[in-house]
């Protein structure tokens, strides 16, 4: 069978329908490019949101969280809560809170070694941390640190940053249509959302040391807090860059150098925690299950 | 627990890349070999036979369903953000088209035909419009197989 010359199937050159790029090079180029843009945009927005959130009036923040206030434990009676409230009031005065800003302290009868400040000026103190602190000055350092977070609007900043990161995560996941992107980035992003940054912690430490100096005339007792936390941490401290809180030794040194710069004495007479408060705290922590300091 | 998802992700990415590369190079080897073997079954896009002698005609077709591997899907997801060629899918569809033609040629040869005219391609997205379902595409090649010319008489 002889066919006309146009009826032929000449062999086609290989690779005319594919782009000759190594898949890994393609992947690296895309990932690098997208990561640079996403990180830059999200980073700038998150910083802007964290900064702008401080300008939300404190009254609006307090009103927004009012309906969540039942999550905080009610005063259970006993000597601890009135003592904490009184101490917090004195610290708030020494910290020179802006007018209209109020701090409410809550005492939780659990052995967790922790204390934290959150939206609306709420400060939560766990029995586990109180039990480790022998002087009123050390307890005041904890409370002043948390009051400083409130004063510096750190909870609002952190929420602003968290909202931006959450939104960015949703957008990237939706844009790529891949759940895995969210699953991978989600927990990593959440870590930065839920905690104050190390810079915020350092700011709070500095403000707290100032309040302590105003209240007692010296910053003695602050190192007791950091030492108590350090003993608490078992299995070695994580490297500084992994932890949201600066390392305890670093925090002691930072407070001491600040005190020297400002001319505050670093030692002085400390007041003990009242015996009835200590006894009540010890009863609350009898079922010991140590937690982590935040 | 935070790293669990990351490890799963990287594991799937590596699996997708290695398995995908091995499968691709094996498939291309097989495609080239069978294209040489089936070179005497000619295919034409033209609707018309080369001459107007009477021949037996029959419909022949070859169909391939091709799915992406995990690595390709991630590369494509990233590419989707910036646009441009979805390079990771190009080899996939190139293989699917050539495989579909080969299967069509095999059918034509089984039916005693030496050429296929009016060859056309069709594709069908397996998940349709549901984006969360399996992502795969069918490539179908079909045409009219022509048998040897009947003796005139």
């Amino acid at each position: 069978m002889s066919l006309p010359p146009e009826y032929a199937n000449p062999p086609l050159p290989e690779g005319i329908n594919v782009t000759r790029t190594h898949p890994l090079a393609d992947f690296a180029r895309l990932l690098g490019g997208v990561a640079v843009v996403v990180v830059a945009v999200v980073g700038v927005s998150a910083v802007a949101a964290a900064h702008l959130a401080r300008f939300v009036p404190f009254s609006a923040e307090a009103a927004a969280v009012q309906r969540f206030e039942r999550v905080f434990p009610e005063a259970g009676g006993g000597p601890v809560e009135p003592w904490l409230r009184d101490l917090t009031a004195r610290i708030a005065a020494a910290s020179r809170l802006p007018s209209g800003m109020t701090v409410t302290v809550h005492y939780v009868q659990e052995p967790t070694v922790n204390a934290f400040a959150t939206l609306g000026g709420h400060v939560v103190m766990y029995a586990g941390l109180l039990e480790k602190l022998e002087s009123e000055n050390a307890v005041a350092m904890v409370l002043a640190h948390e009051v400083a977070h409130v004063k510096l609007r750190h909870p609002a900043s952190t929420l602003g940053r968290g909202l931006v990161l959450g939104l960015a995560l949703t957008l990237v996941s939706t844009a790529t249509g891949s759940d895995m992107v969210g699953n991978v980035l989600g927990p990593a992003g959440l870590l930065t959302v839920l905690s104050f940054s190390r810079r915020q912690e350092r700011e709070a430490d500095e403000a707290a040391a100032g309040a302590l100096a105003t209240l007692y005339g010296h910053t003695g007792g602050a190192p007791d807090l950091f030492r108590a936390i350090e003993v608490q941490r078992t299995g070695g401290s994580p490297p500084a860059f992994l932890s949201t809180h600066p390392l305890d030794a670093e925090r002691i040194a930072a407070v001491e150098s600040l005190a020297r710069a400002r001319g505050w004495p670093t030692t002085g007479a400390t007041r003990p925690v009242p015996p009835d408060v200590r006894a009540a705290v010890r009863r609350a922590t009898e079922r010991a299950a140590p937690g982590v300091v935040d | 627990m935070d790293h669990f998802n990351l490890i799963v992700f990287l594991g799937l990415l590596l699996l997708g890349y290695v398995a995908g590369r091995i499968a691709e190079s094996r498939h291309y080897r097989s495609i080239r070999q069978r294209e040489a073997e089936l070179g005497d079954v000619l295919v034409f896009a033209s609707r018309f036979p080369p001459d107007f002698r009477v021949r037996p005609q029959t419909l022949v077709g070859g169909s391939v369903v091709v799915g992406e591997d995990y690595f390709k899907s991630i590369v494509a997801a990233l590419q989707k953000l910036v646009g441009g060629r979805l390079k990771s899918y190009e080899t996939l569809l190139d293989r699917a088209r050539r495989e579909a033609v080969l299967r069509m040629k095999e059918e034509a040869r089984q039916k005693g035909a030496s050429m296929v005219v009016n060859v056309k391609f069709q594709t069908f997205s397996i998940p349709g419009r549901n984006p969360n379902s399996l992502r795969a595409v069918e490539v179908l090649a079909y045409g009219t197989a022509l048998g040897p010319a009947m003796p005139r008489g």
Side-chain angles (χ1 to χ4, degrees):
Chain A
M1 186 175 70
S2 66
L3 288 171
E6 67 271 24
Y7 279 82
N9 277 173
L12 295 173
E14 196 63 44
I16 50 172
N17 284 324
V18 295
T19 311
R20 283 282 155 219
T21 318
H22 195 279
L24 284 180
D26 197 27
F27 177 59
R29 199 177 48 81
L30 277 171
L31 192 65
V34 169
V36 164
V37 171
V38 168
V39 167
V41 170
V42 172
V44 167
S45 322
V47 168
H51 186 69
L52 292 175
R54 293 169 189 222
F55 297 104
V56 173
F58 183 80
S59 55
E61 180 188 315
V65 297
Q66 201 157 25
R67 65 189 134 138
F68 301 112
E69 272 171 16
R70 72 185 67 166
V71 304
F72 298 114
E74 303 212 353
V80 182
E81 200 139 33
W83 179 72
L84 282 176
R85 266 204 299 272
D86 174 60
L87 186 56
T88 307
R90 283 190 283 141
I91 289 162
S95 303
R96 287 187 289 278
L97 289 187
S99 67
M101 193 179 275
T102 52
V103 176
T104 318
V105 67
H106 304 272
Y107 169 59
V108 183
Q109 300 194 23
E110 281 172 21
T112 312
V113 183
N114 197 4
F116 64 88
T118 184
L119 295 166
H122 293 279
V123 169
V124 176
M125 174 67 107
Y126 284 87
L129 179 56
L130 271 182
E131 201 250 331
K132 306 262 177 223
L133 306 174
E134 283 167 12
S135 70
E136 183 189 296
N137 304 53
V139 178
M141 181 66 193
V142 177
L143 291 172
H145 176 96
E146 305 306 341
V147 167
H149 276 314
V150 173
K151 183 188 173 187
L152 298 168
R153 307 298 304 277
H154 289 166
S157 291
T158 303
L159 180 67
R161 187 182 55 186
L163 286 177
V164 166
L165 294 181
L167 184 66
L169 194 63
T170 311
L171 286 176
V172 171
S173 296
T174 313
T176 56
S178 167
D179 293 342
M180 211 56 210
V181 177
N183 287 344
V184 170
L185 292 178
L190 212 60
L191 287 178
T192 56
V193 168
L194 291 182
S195 53
F196 297 135
S197 70
R198 299 184 67 221
R199 184 183 56 77
Q200 288 174 323
E201 296 300 343
R202 201 163 281 139
E203 282 173 7
D205 272 352
E206 286 172 10
L212 220 58
T214 310
L215 208 55
Y216 298 105
H218 60 84
T219 60
D224 296 349
L225 163 65
F226 300 131
R227 273 185 218 112
I229 299 166
E230 199 164 40
V231 170
Q232 168 62 26
R233 293 190 217 259
T234 48
S237 303
F241 62 90
L242 284 181
S243 159
T244 58
H245 279 64
L247 287 181
D248 308 316
E250 263 176 46
R251 294 174 77 178
I252 294 175
V255 166
E256 278 178 355
S257 76
L258 180 76
R260 267 198 303 280
R262 301 279 165 87
W264 302 325
T266 51
T267 51
T270 55
R271 287 190 211 173
V273 175
D276 57 334
V277 171
R278 273 199 76 73
V281 167
R282 205 166 294 134
R283 275 199 300 281
T285 56
E286 240 142 44
R287 289 165 289 108
V292 193
V293 174
D294 194 37
Chain B
M1 199 59 214
D2 292 338
H3 298 297
F4 177 72
N5 279 326
L6 186 62
I7 291 166
V8 168
F9 173 74
L10 292 176
L12 286 173
L13 204 63
L14 186 70
L15 175 72
Y17 178 71
V18 172
R21 288 287 274 185
I22 292 173
E24 186 158 289
S25 70
R26 278 165 74 172
H27 190 206
Y28 264 125
R29 223 175 302 139
S30 152
I31 285 174
R32 282 188 210 107
Q33 187 197 336
R34 285 180 299 145
E35 276 177 347
E37 281 168 18
L38 289 160
D40 57 333
V41 181
L42 303 174
V43 292
F44 303 112
S46 165
R47 285 196 293 131
F48 303 108
D51 54 41
F52 291 92
R53 291 192 288 171
V54 179
R55 298 164 193 267
Q57 308 181 354
T58 175
L59 176 73
V60 289
S63 160
V64 174
V65 175
V66 63
E68 62 190 358
D69 60 54
Y70 194 77
F71 178 80
K72 283 185 163 63
S73 76
I74 292 297
V75 173
L78 286 172
Q79 188 78 61
K80 216 158 50 164
L81 293 174
V82 294
R85 293 183 185 182
L86 286 174
K87 289 178 203 150
S88 63
Y89 288 168
E90 285 176 346
T91 50
L92 221 49
L93 286 168
D94 183 51
R95 283 159 58 197
R97 279 188 301 266
R98 288 164 78 171
E99 180 68 37
V101 170
L102 283 170
R103 290 180 186 180
M104 179 186 73
K105 283 183 170 183
E106 271 159 23
E107 192 191 344
R109 178 183 271 175
Q110 274 171 17
K111 290 183 171 168
S114 60
M115 72 171 74
V116 186
V117 295
N118 202 12
V119 171
K120 288 182 162 54
F121 287 98
Q122 257 184 10
T123 61
F124 175 71
S125 169
I126 297 293
R129 289 186 179 182
N130 180 0
N132 296 323
S133 163
L134 169 86
R135 280 190 280 188
V137 67
E138 182 202 24
V139 176
L140 168 69
Y142 62 98
T144 309
L146 300 179
M150 304 271 193
R152 283 170 226 220

